[in-house]
Amino acid sequence: MGGVEADTRCHKPPTIKYLYCLLKPVADDYLRRTAITRPILTDEQQNLLDTTISEWKTACNISSHIGWKHGETRKTYLQDLAYDTVMEETCLGSQHAILAAHQAAAALDGVEAIEDLDEHYKTSQPGFTSNTVKYDTRTMTLFDDGSVSLSTVDGRIRCDLNLPDNEDGYQHEYLNDDEWEVTESTLSKRDGEYYLHLGFRKEKPEKQVDVQGDDEDRTVLGVDLGIVNIATTSTAYFASGRELRHQHREFERIRGNLQQTGTQSAHRTIQQMSGRESRYLRDQLHQVANQILEEARTHGCEYIAFENLKHIRKRAPPVKEFHQWAHRQLVDLVEYKAEAEGISVKFVDPKNTSRRCPECGHTSEGNRVRQAEFECESCGATQNADYVGAKNVGWRYVRRGLQSSRRTGDSQLALKSGIVTPNRGFVPSD
C-alpha cells in the first residue's frame, strides 16, 4: 500500500489467497517502471518538503477516517467526500488533496479485500505514518537539464537530480527515451535523505508468441551466468564480475569491522552502507542487462535463453550466495526490459552445458580444462568456457523448438559473426 502502515487486529494470519491478490500486478495496456534518484536540496527546500510530507500524512489520515466512516473505497467518491475537509485542515494544494484521497481509497480497498476473503480477519482503519508524498504530472515536472519541479505547501521548488555522470545509469534509459512517459511518483525521506521514485509507463509492444502453424524463423541469444564473468552471451559479450566481487568484498570487510564495534553509530553506518551497496549493485546490473538487450537487438533475436536458476542454486556452494543473488537480480532485470522490447525470455536445463563441445557435441568432464578454458577431448576445439556455456544454453533452446510439432520454421542461434541453424549449419553475417 505504498506509504500506508495499516493498524490491523486479526484472529489468524492472512490467507495465501489474500497475499496473492495483493502481490498480483494489475493488468493494463502499459509497461510500468520506477527509477530511483535523489533530489539535491537546499536547507530551505528540505524544510518545505518536510512540511509537505507532514501535511500529506494528515490529509491521507483525514481521507481514511472519512472513507472508513462512510464505507467508501472508490477514489472519485471519496475525493468528493473528503476534499473540502482536507483543504480546510491542511496547507496542501488542490491536486495534492485529490491525490491524498485517492491514496486513502486504495488503502481502504485493500483492507476491505482482507475481510472479503476471510471473515475472521478483523481490521481497523488504515493509518498513514510513512514519510512519503505522492506526485503526478500536475504536481511535478521533469526537465531535460536533469532538474525537477515539485509542488509544496508554499509554491513550487526546483532542484537538480543526483543522476549518474555517464549515460549508462539505468535512470537515463527512461529519462532520455520519449516512449516512456512520467506517471505517478513518490518522494520519500529515509534516514535524513530524500529519494524520488520516478514512475514511468509506455504502451506494451506486440509480443512475439509461438502459435500453431507459426513458420517464422526465430533467433535465440544464449546467456551463460558465471562467477568470473557474471554473464556471457553467445554473441561473445563478456560482462566481467571482477569489480562486483571486489566491491562486495570491500562492503563485507567494512561491515564486519563495524559489527565488531557494536555501537549505535556503527549500526547506523551499516544501514547507510547497505543502501549504498544496493544502489551500486543495482546500477551495475542494470548496465549489464542493458548490454544483453543491446546484443539481442543488434542480432535480431526474438528470444533470450538463460539457464534455469534452480540448477544454479543446487550446484553452487554456500560461499557463492552473493552470485546467486546477483544472477537472480540480473535475470529479473533482463526479463522486464525484454518485455518492453517484445522479446521473450526462456529457461533451459543447464546440465552439461559447460562440458559439451558446441562443435562436435562430445560431452565429457575432461573437456573443461580449467575454470575459464574449454578444450574438446574429441575434436580438439578450444574456446573460452563461459562462451561455450552461452552457446550451449542458446542451442538447447533452439533444439527444443525443433522438437515441437507446432513449429515448421528454422530456428537459429545468434553468434558473434553470424548464426548457426540445425539444418543449414553456420551462416556468416553479411
Side-chain angles (χ1 to χ4, degrees):
M1 297 180 212
V4 183
E5 291 184 6
D7 174 23
T8 60
R9 297 183 298 273
C10 62
H11 298 295
K12 64 180 182 179
T15 62
I16 294 298
K17 183 179 179 182
Y18 158 64
L19 293 175
Y20 172 76
C21 289
L22 286 186
L23 294 173
K24 184 179 179 181
V26 178
D28 62 16
D29 294 329
Y30 293 94
L31 296 171
R32 299 182 185 274
R33 302 290 182 261
T34 300
I36 304 174
T37 184
R38 288 189 294 170
I40 303 173
L41 303 166
T42 65
D43 290 343
E44 181 181 358
Q45 290 173 333
Q46 289 184 28
N47 291 333
L48 278 173
L49 287 176
D50 286 346
T51 304
T52 303
I53 289 172
S54 177
E55 293 291 276
W56 165 264
K57 289 189 288 186
T58 299
C60 289
N61 284 319
I62 290 171
S63 301
S64 179
H65 175 73
I66 293 173
W68 185 265
K69 178 181 177 181
H70 292 272
E72 185 57 72
T73 63
R74 293 168 294 181
K75 289 183 178 180
T76 55
Y77 286 80
L78 182 54
Q79 173 187 321
D80 292 339
L81 289 171
Y83 180 81
D84 289 340
T85 305
V86 170
M87 292 297 291
E88 290 173 3
E89 298 187 18
T90 72
C91 301
L92 293 178
S94 60
Q95 186 61 20
H96 261 142
I98 292 171
L99 291 174
H102 292 180
Q103 181 82 347
L108 290 163
D109 189 49
V111 169
E112 186 179 78
I114 299 175
E115 294 185 337
D116 287 344
L117 288 168
D118 190 342
E119 61 181 8
H120 299 295
Y121 193 95
K122 302 302 179 184
T123 61
S124 60
Q125 177 187 321
F128 292 77
T129 60
S130 297
N131 291 323
T132 63
V133 57
K134 288 285 186 182
Y135 282 91
D136 64 1
T137 53
R138 295 185 180 182
T139 52
M140 180 189 75
T141 304
L142 285 175
F143 297 96
D144 292 338
D145 62 358
S147 64
V148 63
S149 171
L150 301 169
S151 292
T152 71
V153 292
D154 187 17
R156 282 189 172 238
I157 62 170
R158 183 165 176 173
C159 60
D160 291 330
L161 296 175
N162 186 15
L163 297 169
D165 293 333
N166 56 53
E167 295 295 307
D168 291 334
Y170 82 96
Q171 295 91 342
H172 293 293
E173 176 183 346
Y174 308 110
L175 291 168
N176 298 339
D177 189 341
D178 291 337
E179 289 189 16
W180 290 102
E181 62 175 329
V182 181
T183 59
E184 207 168 83
S185 303
T186 302
L187 176 81
S188 64
K189 183 180 181 182
R190 186 173 64 253
D191 298 327
E193 298 285 348
Y194 298 83
Y195 300 89
L196 193 55
H197 297 245
L198 298 170
F200 293 90
R201 74 175 188 182
K202 76 173 182 179
E203 291 186 1
K204 290 182 178 179
E206 292 291 330
K207 189 73 173 177
Q208 301 284 346
V209 181
D210 287 336
V211 295
Q212 188 166 359
D214 181 6
D215 58 358
E216 296 296 321
D217 292 351
R218 62 176 181 179
T219 304
V220 179
L221 179 74
V223 182
D224 177 78
L225 301 173
I227 305 299
V228 176
N229 294 303
I230 190 169
T232 305
T233 70
S234 59
T235 53
Y237 162 66
F238 294 84
S240 174
R242 179 179 301 173
E243 186 61 24
L244 281 176
R245 295 196 308 276
H246 171 71
Q247 291 296 334
H248 176 66
R249 285 194 297 266
E250 283 297 298
F251 279 117
E252 286 293 290
R253 180 182 63 81
I254 298 172
R255 189 165 21 242
N257 292 338
L258 289 169
Q259 286 172 342
Q260 288 183 353
T261 302
T263 63
Q264 288 186 345
S265 176
H267 178 67
R268 286 194 297 270
T269 304
I270 290 173
Q271 290 181 315
Q272 293 170 355
M273 279 185 51
S274 296
R276 289 197 298 270
E277 181 182 18
S278 296
R279 290 189 293 274
Y280 168 79
L281 293 173
R282 181 175 61 240
D283 185 65
Q284 293 299 307
L285 292 173
H286 266 285
Q287 293 183 40
V288 176
N290 286 341
Q291 188 58 48
I292 291 174
L293 263 295
E294 180 61 27
E295 293 293 310
R297 286 191 295 265
T298 300
H299 293 84
C301 299
E302 294 88 4
Y303 295 84
I304 299 175
F306 285 98
E307 49 193 306
N308 191 312
L309 295 181
K310 292 181 181 179
H311 294 270
I312 292 180
R313 286 196 294 271
K314 289 179 180 178
R315 73 170 189 253
V319 294
K320 306 301 183 184
E321 287 181 1
F322 167 70
H323 295 91
Q324 295 176 31
W325 173 87
H327 290 152
R328 178 70 265 175
Q329 296 297 310
L330 178 60
V331 171
D332 287 345
L333 287 170
V334 172
E335 279 192 287
Y336 85 68
K337 289 173 182 286
E339 182 186 21
E341 301 284 343
I343 297 173
S344 297
V345 173
K346 302 295 182 179
F347 299 90
V348 301
D349 184 346
K351 183 179 180 181
N352 291 326
T353 52
S354 63
R355 301 171 178 174
R356 178 187 180 277
C357 177
E359 304 300 326
C360 70
H362 176 69
T363 303
S364 169
E365 289 186 19
N367 287 348
R368 191 71 177 262
V369 181
R370 298 181 184 84
Q371 173 67 29
E373 187 176 344
F374 180 96
E375 182 176 353
C376 180
E377 294 176 322
S378 177
C379 70
T382 60
Q383 293 182 8
N384 176 278
D386 292 337
Y387 184 45
V388 167
K391 290 198 289 186
N392 282 330
V393 167
W395 189 247
R396 183 157 292 175
Y397 187 69
V398 168
R399 296 196 64 82
R400 179 194 293 180
L402 291 180
Q403 295 167 6
S404 172
S405 61
R406 295 181 297 174
R407 293 198 60 86
T408 58
D410 195 3
S411 299
Q412 53 206 22
L413 174 65
L415 301 176
K416 181 179 180 179
S417 55
I419 58 173
V420 60
T421 73
N423 297 329
R424 291 177 288 161
F426 177 73
V427 180
S429 55
D430 296 332

